[in-house]
Amino acid sequence: MTTEYINICLADDDQDDRLFFTDAFDELKIKTKVSTFNDGVELMNYLNDADSVLPNVLFLDLNMPKKNGLECLLEIKKNENLNDIAIAIYSTSSSEEHIEETFINGANIYIKKPSDFETLKKILAEVVTINWQYHTSGLNKDNFLMRM
Amino acid sequence: MKVHLKYNYPQLTKKIIQDKLSELGYKFKIIGFGEFVFLEKIPTEKMMELTEQFQEYGIEVVENQKSVLVQKIKDVIVEMVNSEIPLNVKSSVHIAEKLNLSYVHLSSIFSEVTYTSIENYIIIQKIELAKQLIINTDMNLTEISIQLNYSSVAHLSTQFKNNTGMTPSAFQRIIAKRKEFTNNNS
C-alpha cells in the first residue's frame, strides 16, 4: 500500500493553471501520477478508450472550450464504467446555486480556485488524502461530498 | 418497485468467508473480525485460488506486516465509532489497549501507510456514519450527535463542516436533490 500511486486526471484549457496544479501535485506526500488534458473532448476521448488507465480522481475546470466541465460531468455520470472516479470540479465562480448544481449533477468535490500556490497545495492534499481513505477503506463514494 | 437495503457488515463478511472456506475443504477457525487460521497445511495454489475468489467480493488478503497492523487499527476504530456504548477512556488509550502496543508506535505506522493520522481517520469514520444516519434514517441531528458521542449537536455540525465544507443540512438537501435528479434522468 505504501508504494501505490493515486492516478489523477486534470482537464483545463489554461496552460498556467495546468502547471500550477501539476506543481502542487508534485509537492504532495502522497505519490500521484497526473495526466493533463487541454479540453473536454480530449478528456472524454481518453476516458472512453478501453485501454486507458482510469483516474481515481478527476479535476475538471468548469470553463473549457469544445466541451466544458459540466458537459463532461454529465457524460461521465451516464457511463457505468466511469462510476468509480471521484470528480472534483473547480471554478472561479462561487454562486451557491452554481455550486449546488454541480453536486446535484454528480460532482463529489467543488473547489473554488485559490489565487495562491500554498492554499492550492493544502486543498489538493486534503482532497487527495480523503479520496485515498475512501478508496482504501471501502467507504461509500456516493456520499463523498466536499466543498473547499 | 424499489427495495432499500441495510447491511450488517460483520455478519455479511463472516458468512462469505465461512462459505468460501468450507467450499475449499480445509479445516479452519475464524478467530476475529478479518482474521482466520487454517488448522491444516494448505497448498499455495489453493491459497491463490481462495485469494482470487475473495477478490470477487472485494475481500483482500493483507500480507504486508505494516498493512496488517493498519487494518487492525482501522477495525478497532470502526468498531468504536459504530458502538453505541460511549467509551470511558480516551480513544487513543482504548486503541492502544486493544492492540497492546504503544499509541506512539501505532500512530507512526498508521500515518506512514495511510497518509493521514489516527485522529483524522476517526473523524472520517464518524462523519461517514453521520452521513449514513442522515440519509437512511429520520433521526434528527441531536439524536445523531448523541449516538456518535459528540458533546453537543454544535460539535457534530462543526466537525461535519470542517470535514466536508458544508453543513449537515446542506448535505442532506443536496443528496435528496441528487436522488431526484438521477431518478428523473434514468
Side-chain angles (χ1 to χ4, degrees), chain B residues 156-177:
Chain B
L156 164 60
S157 295
T158 308
Q159 211 169 71
F160 195 98
K161 182 130 199 245
N162 284 342
N163 183 274
T164 64
M166 57 182 81
T167 61
S169 34
F171 174 79
Q172 189 173 30
R173 185 177 64 238
I174 289 171
I175 296 279
K177 286 194 183 163

Side-chain angles (χ1 to χ4, degrees), chain A residues 25 42 48 53-54 68 81 89 93 107 112 116 128 132:
Chain A
F25 283 127
E42 227 184 75
N48 287 323
V53 175
L54 294 180
N68 67 33
N81 296 334
I89 298 263
S93 156
K112 176 155 186 277
D116 71 289
V128 168
W132 186 241

Side-chain angles (χ1 to χ4, degrees), chain A residues 48-110:
Chain A
N48 287 323
D49 185 341
D51 293 328
S52 297
V53 175
L54 294 180
N56 301 106
V57 194
L58 165 63
F59 289 85
L60 266 181
D61 185 12
L62 260 193
N63 299 313
M64 284 187 291
K66 294 192 199 167
K67 203 175 254 189
N68 67 33
L70 186 59
E71 292 170 312
C72 292
L73 174 63
L74 293 171
E75 231 182 272
I76 292 170
K77 286 329 257 183
K78 288 212 174 103
N79 186 339
E80 259 177 45
N81 296 334
L82 305 177
N83 251 341
D84 231 17
I85 305 176
I87 304 178
I89 298 263
Y90 60 89
S91 163
T92 44
S93 156
S94 56
S95 87
E96 283 307 311
E97 270 177 50
H98 213 179
I99 295 174
E100 267 198 30
E101 211 198 325
T102 39
F103 282 128
I104 292 169
N105 286 324
N108 299 96
I109 305 152
Y110 186 93

Side-chain angles (χ1 to χ4, degrees), chain B residues 135-179:
Chain B
I135 297 175
N136 295 325
T137 71
D138 44 23
M139 286 169 79
N140 64 39
L141 280 180
T142 309
E143 294 168 323
I144 294 177
S145 68
I146 293 173
Q147 178 164 330
L148 294 175
N149 295 315
Y150 281 98
S151 54
S152 66
V153 71
H155 188 201
L156 164 60
S157 295
T158 308
Q159 211 169 71
F160 195 98
K161 182 130 199 245
N162 284 342
N163 183 274
T164 64
M166 57 182 81
T167 61
S169 34
F171 174 79
Q172 189 173 30
R173 185 177 64 238
I174 289 171
I175 296 279
K177 286 194 183 163
R178 236 198 203 179
K179 281 202 181 134

Side-chain angles (χ1 to χ4, degrees), chain B residues 48-98:
Chain B
M48 279 175 60
E49 211 183 279
L50 183 68
T51 308
E52 266 174 40
Q53 283 185 11
F54 275 162
Q55 263 172 5
E56 288 175 38
Y57 292 91
I59 299 175
E60 205 190 299
V61 175
V62 186
E63 307 208 47
N64 166 291
Q65 278 315 306
K66 284 185 181 171
S67 300
V68 169
L69 185 57
V70 165
Q71 192 52 53
K72 286 189 177 164
I73 299 171
K74 286 184 177 181
D75 291 344
V76 171
I77 291 174
V78 170
E79 187 191 43
M80 204 173 78
V81 166
N82 282 287
S83 153
E84 293 190 29
I85 309 163
L87 280 181
N88 48 15
V89 292
K90 271 173 68 176
S91 30
S92 52
V93 174
H94 174 80
I95 295 171
E97 280 179 359
K98 262 277 172 129

